[in-house]
Amino acid sequence: MKSTTEVNPRIAPPGWPEIVVGIAVLALVGFGLPILVSGQVDLTSPLGGALLACLSGVAGLAGFAAAAALRRRTWGSFGLRRASAGWLWLGVAGGVVALLAKGILTPLFLMLTDAPTDTQAGYAAGASSGPWLLVLTAIGLIVLTPIGEELLFRGVVTTGLLRYGPIIATVGSAVIFALLHGINVVLPAALVVGIITAELRRRSDSVWPGVVVHAFNNSITVIAYALIPGVVS
């Protein structure tokens, strides 16, 4: 007797082709595009920082779109399913846990390493340079980035790695997510957020609780950027 996947490949989870293509497109858009436009736009300026905040989300969305376009699958194969209110509230709780963990792990990480601490200075400049740039930065970091990165890293990467078991799927996708943020002050927080959101994706069968975690965490960061001039982590 054929399995459900063999009968209808559209419900099969994404695999390595989707993972590789999605990450490659994210890197191309998120890292390559700023290099191309750096001669025309000062990316270290407040406007440049706000634009980079939006590009962060666009890169994730582009990576997911490229991965999803490889083979015809249902949206549910990527965890694009409705989540109950209970799971969404667990997302809020996960955001609180991630924030508390960041407060502990980031100082420890900086004590043990000489990792850069100014990698998000552009975001901070955008959020603290007037209402319009604050709104643009907030759209990028609180709306576009959580949706784009969760669709790619949890909808594609975590889902694709689940064939190897829950530990590899959760930890593996979180490590990939964190490393793509760079070896800098953001890495501990990205790793914690990656673990929490991947586990919520696995248990709820939906990416939306992870989007809530991500948006909650980023919203606190944007508020800190806006209220505390000079803060960059």
Side-chain angles (χ1 to χ4, degrees):
M1 182 177 177
K2 291 184 178 182
S3 67
T4 304
T5 299
E6 290 172 323
V7 172
N8 185 3
R10 292 190 67 211
I11 66 173
W16 280 109
E18 286 84 0
I19 293 173
V20 172
V21 168
I23 291 176
V25 171
L26 174 136
L28 183 65
V29 175
F31 303 127
L33 192 57
I35 294 174
L36 290 176
V37 304
S38 59
Q40 289 73 42
V41 180
D42 181 7
L43 297 177
T44 64
S45 68
L47 176 60
L51 292 176
L52 284 177
C54 292
L55 184 62
S56 170
V58 170
L61 289 168
F64 172 74
L70 279 184
R71 292 180 282 191
R72 292 185 62 191
R73 300 187 186 283
T74 62
W75 293 119
S77 299
F78 299 101
L80 273 166
R81 297 185 176 92
R82 295 175 65 180
S84 68
W87 280 114
L88 296 179
W89 279 112
L90 279 175
V92 175
V96 174
V97 170
L99 194 65
L100 294 174
K102 173 184 175 180
I104 297 171
L105 295 177
T106 298
L108 180 62
F109 179 72
L110 293 177
M111 286 175 57
L112 299 175
T113 71
D114 58 352
T117 60
D118 60 348
T119 56
Q120 295 193 335
Y123 297 163
S128 60
S129 299
W132 293 112
L133 289 182
L134 171 59
V135 169
L136 186 61
T137 303
I139 290 173
L141 295 182
I142 301 175
V143 180
L144 296 178
T145 295
I147 293 175
E149 291 188 348
E150 290 307 309
L151 286 176
L152 177 59
F153 288 101
R154 261 53 74 178
V156 176
V157 180
T158 301
T159 306
L161 294 180
L162 276 172
R163 68 193 66 204
Y164 304 110
I167 294 177
I168 290 179
T170 298
V171 177
S173 63
V175 169
I176 293 170
F177 175 69
L179 290 177
L180 281 169
H181 281 76
I183 308 299
N184 54 57
V185 67
V186 180
L187 190 145
L191 183 62
V192 171
V193 169
I195 290 174
I196 292 172
T197 54
E199 190 63 9
L200 285 172
R201 158 71 184 104
R202 184 179 74 83
R203 292 181 179 274
S204 70
D205 205 24
S206 171
V207 298
W208 297 116
V211 171
V212 173
V213 174
H214 208 144
F216 179 90
N217 199 271
N218 283 9
S219 67
I220 301 301
T221 300
V222 171
I223 290 170
Y225 289 160
L227 296 181
I228 310 174
V231 65
V232 294
S233 62

